[in-house]
């Protein structure tokens, strides 16, 4: 069963997030971690973590330290920073360090719900495996990257258009090329045109 790992040491936050995850994606389990060390251990032991919701301030990590370590070791797991820090400079630093999205705890419930639906699309209440074999499908965010990629957008342009970090875009592109078994954009564009009906 796919899992969301909530990295936060505040029980009330974890409880609220868990309730929302179960509402948005009933087929997803929720795990909790209170420290960076515990998070690393859980990620190393579990092969089915679909998303990490990360608070920046942990007992053993501050600012983007934990985010950087997690993204470098587990680049294929989307990391949504879920924090109370409102400074735009922090948000920019997180996106550059590999965060897939940045959501404020003080924001409305819909912002987190949207992030969950974006990264857990295939596991949501309405989500169904579509088209081709499950293994050949891309996540909703990877499809967003793919659509921009085949139009000739650069990594920086894709990052700006999707409001994510360039490091995250590069990770998605690497995954897209691997799953499509393509070596360049010409091959990828051909593959896209041939298979998009199955992936859309």
């Amino acid at each position: 069963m796919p899992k969301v790992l909530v990295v936060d040491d505040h029980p009330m936050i974890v409880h609220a997030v868990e309730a929302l995850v179960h509402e948005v994606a009933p087929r997803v389990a929720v795990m909790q971690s209170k420290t960076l060390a515990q998070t690393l251990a859980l990620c190393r032991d579990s092969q089915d973590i679909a998303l990490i919701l990360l608070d920046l301030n942990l007992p053993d990590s501050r600012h983007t330290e934990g985010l950087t370590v997690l993204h470098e070791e587990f680049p294929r797991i989307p990391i949504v920073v879920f924090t109370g820090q409102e400074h735009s400079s922090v948000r920019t630093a997180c996106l550059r360090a590999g965060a897939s999205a940045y959501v404020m705890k003080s924001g409305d419930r819909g912002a987190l719900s949207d992030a969950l639906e974006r990264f857990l699309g295939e596991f949501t209440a309405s989500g169904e495996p579509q088209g081709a074999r499950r293994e050949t499908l891309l996540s909703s965010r990877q499809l967003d990257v793919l659509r921009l990629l085949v139009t000739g957008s650069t990594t920086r342009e894709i990052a700006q258009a999707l409001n994510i970090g360039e490091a995250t875009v590069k990770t998605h592109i690497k995954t897209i090329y691997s799953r499509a078994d393509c070596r360049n954009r010409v091959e990828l564009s051909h593959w896209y045109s041939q298979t998009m009906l199955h992936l859309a």
Side-chain angles (χ1 to χ4, degrees), residues 5 13 44 50 60 79 86 96 98-99 110 125 131 141 153 155 167 171 175 183 197 200:
L5 177 56
I13 294 292
R44 289 164 183 159
D60 56 350
I79 303 174
E86 300 184 15
R96 287 177 176 172
R141 180 40 55 101
S153 298
T155 299
T171 297
T175 300
R183 293 167 296 179
L197 288 177

Side-chain angles (χ1 to χ4, degrees), residues 182-198:
C182 295
R183 293 167 296 179
N184 53 55
R185 290 203 186 198
V186 173
E187 291 183 359
L188 188 65
S189 295
H190 178 72
W191 176 84
Y192 177 82
S193 65
Q194 294 296 313
T195 62
M196 195 55 211
L197 288 177
H198 297 293

Side-chain angles (χ1 to χ4, degrees), residues 3 70 86 112 125 135 142 157 162 166 171-172 182 193:
K3 298 179 177 67
L70 286 169
E86 300 184 15
L112 180 57
E135 293 81 2
Q142 287 162 356
E157 290 169 342
L162 300 180
E166 289 187 46
T171 297
H172 286 320
C182 295
S193 65

Side-chain angles (χ1 to χ4, degrees), residues 21-89:
V21 169
H22 288 156
E23 179 181 326
V24 172
R27 294 182 286 152
V28 174
V30 177
M31 299 192 302
Q32 179 191 3
S33 171
K34 296 181 179 180
T35 66
L36 175 60
Q38 185 181 8
T39 301
L40 289 168
L42 287 171
C43 290
R44 289 164 183 159
D45 291 341
S46 180
Q47 301 297 315
D48 49 7
I49 295 177
L51 178 67
I52 297 173
L53 291 178
L54 177 68
D55 183 22
L56 293 178
N57 291 324
L58 302 173
D60 56 350
S61 173
R62 287 290 183 273
H63 197 49
T64 61
E65 295 171 350
L67 170 62
T68 300
V69 171
L70 286 169
H71 179 67
E72 288 180 352
E73 185 163 349
F74 308 101
R76 295 198 177 194
I77 302 178
I79 303 174
V80 174
V81 172
F82 188 49
T83 179
Q85 298 192 36
E86 300 184 15
H87 296 292
S88 60
S89 60

